[in-house]
Amino acid sequence: EAAQRLAQADAEQAAWDARVRAYVQARDALRADVRLDGAGRDRAITQLRERSFDAAEQRRVASLEAIGQL
């Protein structure tokens, strides 16, 4: 049972890591898009974050970005 819980935790962490990697890749593409002005880029990144994560996760991602971890 403990091994099963550990495997579940590992799977959840791997899923989170994959979602964050996908978000960072898409965010960086938006940042590099010269067709977007500053406000448009910010809106697009906010919309991406909202589509990619729930409210608690959005706060976590914003915090990680603020401290330069993403």
Side-chain angles (χ1 to χ4, degrees):
E1 187 175 306
Q4 186 178 13
R5 285 193 308 271
L6 184 57
Q8 178 65 28
D10 287 345
E12 290 171 4
Q13 183 64 46
W16 166 256
D17 291 343
R19 288 173 50 224
V20 169
R21 278 192 306 275
Y23 166 78
V24 168
Q25 184 177 12
R27 181 205 61 197
D28 290 349
L30 290 170
R31 285 181 175 171
D33 190 341
V34 296
R35 296 171 295 172
L36 296 172
D37 63 5
R41 186 174 297 113
D42 291 344
R43 274 192 310 277
I45 291 171
T46 296
Q47 291 170 351
L48 173 64
R49 190 181 304 123
E50 289 172 349
R51 284 192 314 270
S52 301
F53 304 105
D54 66 29
E57 291 170 337
Q58 289 174 44
R59 289 188 299 275
R60 182 178 177 189
V61 168
S63 295
L64 290 169
E65 288 177 318
I67 62 172
Q69 294 296 309
L70 292 182

